[in-house]
Amino acid sequence: MKENFDFLMPSVNFFGPGVIEKIGDRAKMLNMKKVLIVTDSFLEKVENGPVHQTLDSLNKAGVDYVVFNGVEPNPKVRNIEAAKKLYLDNNCDSIITVGGGSAHDCGKGTGIILSNGDDITSLAGIETLENPLPPLMAVNTTAGTASELTRHCVITNEETHLKFVVVSWRNVPLVSFNDPKLMLDVPKGLTAATGMDTFVQAIEPYVSENRNDITDGQCLQAIRLVEESLREAVANGHNLEARTKMVEAEMLGGMAFNNADLGYVHAMAHQLGGQYDAPHGVCCAILLPIVERFNIIACPDRFADLAVAMGENIDGLSTREAAEVAIDAMQQMNDDVGIPRSIKEIGANPKDFELMAENALKDGNAFSNPRKSSKEEIVQLFQEAYDAM
């Protein structure tokens, strides 16, 4: 295992149709000699899909690689441990992730335990990493988590069913590639789930305690882009313009929450994902209108702004009435793209709510939520999401 990981470069984000062709050249520029490709078995099998195109670009550049295809949804500790073993067994010196958030988080997690110790669960929290990760690039295939350009690494402890976050600037990939052509064949259910994650990741930073003028602009533009394009991307996945706008929205949202952080929607969604292995974007989407209605009293003017960004007419309404319009618009987006209304539909069980509420308040995303709550209030929010019709 090479220990010389202690160099830093500004993150470079390539965006647009065809940028996947730049992977090999960029790998050579970073002096990658033997790359661990981190992906899942489905993507690896897709003929001329993202994995094959990545490997073709590396082959043309003369960069050697080995493929780890064991990424699971809501990546587990066992996934990063298996990837680490393959990395060491093959004398790799760098990592390229290919996929959506699960692949990127798995690759980050692998890098973390390569350079910061075997027990990643002990590193949960904010800026706990002392050592740089191996050189890391990310090839993104969904307009969703923005993990390809953020400092968040989300891993599930399969023994405790607890989803935890390692937040560090050291996790940011050196280079990311967002090619909307790679997303044209993403199924509509996955398009909806990942697209709603993008939507949530633009809304939560806008009402976060850590917001600023720069992140505000990023959030509002991301929300406008989602409003313009998510329904179309779900209805017609081969609409390249809609896919491109969703990538733009995802990247803007990622940049925003990289700096302004998130809130209770993500803190609670992580508990649902860890406990029931449920899709992250679906968990976030179901919780969004329920949690944000709870948050209104902390910053009603902000929610009125969101209503305008979502294209709603608030003329003649009070600030509180306009804020309620924003919540209704969030639910309408869920309904339009086929998100279920209740967490009952993803296997939630009320007997788990107390423990999940306790863990949600410990989640790194909870601290920037605009309204502070008790465990009992979080339990009630889970119950509302369960009883929703």
Side-chain angles (χ1 to χ4, degrees), residues 82-162:
K84 175 183 176 179
K85 183 177 186 304
L86 189 64
Y87 183 104
L88 295 176
D89 288 349
N90 288 272
N91 296 313
C92 295
D93 60 8
S94 50
I95 299 170
I96 297 178
T97 59
V98 183
S102 294
H104 307 320
D105 285 344
C106 187
K108 291 176 182 179
T110 302
I112 287 169
I113 63 172
L114 279 164
S115 57
N116 285 273
D118 291 336
D119 183 12
I120 193 171
T121 63
S122 68
L123 298 168
I126 300 174
E127 299 303 347
T128 61
L129 305 185
E130 295 183 357
N131 302 311
L133 277 59
L136 172 66
M137 298 200 304
V139 181
N140 194 39
T141 63
T142 63
T145 69
S147 183
E148 78 280 1
L149 49 80
T150 70
R151 61 195 179 111
H152 294 64
C153 172
V154 186
I155 301 294
T156 298
N157 184 334
E158 61 271 26
E159 295 182 1
T160 63
H161 302 288
L162 182 64

Side-chain angles (χ1 to χ4, degrees), residues 330-346:
M330 295 172 197
Q331 184 60 61
Q332 188 62 57
M333 178 68 83
N334 273 346
D335 293 343
D336 288 347
V337 300
I339 299 294
R341 286 204 168 199
S342 170
I343 58 174
K344 188 184 302 182
E345 297 187 45
I346 58 173

Side-chain angles (χ1 to χ4, degrees), residues 349-383:
N349 190 326
K351 71 178 178 62
D352 299 321
F353 292 171
E354 186 168 342
L355 177 60
M356 291 198 302
E358 184 177 327
N359 287 328
L361 289 172
K362 297 176 183 175
D363 187 280
N365 293 293
F367 303 107
S368 48
N369 196 72
R371 179 178 176 182
K372 305 311 173 190
S373 76
S374 65
K375 183 177 76 171
E376 290 72 25
E377 287 172 317
I378 300 295
V379 169
Q380 181 58 36
L381 291 173
F382 276 125
Q383 188 65 51

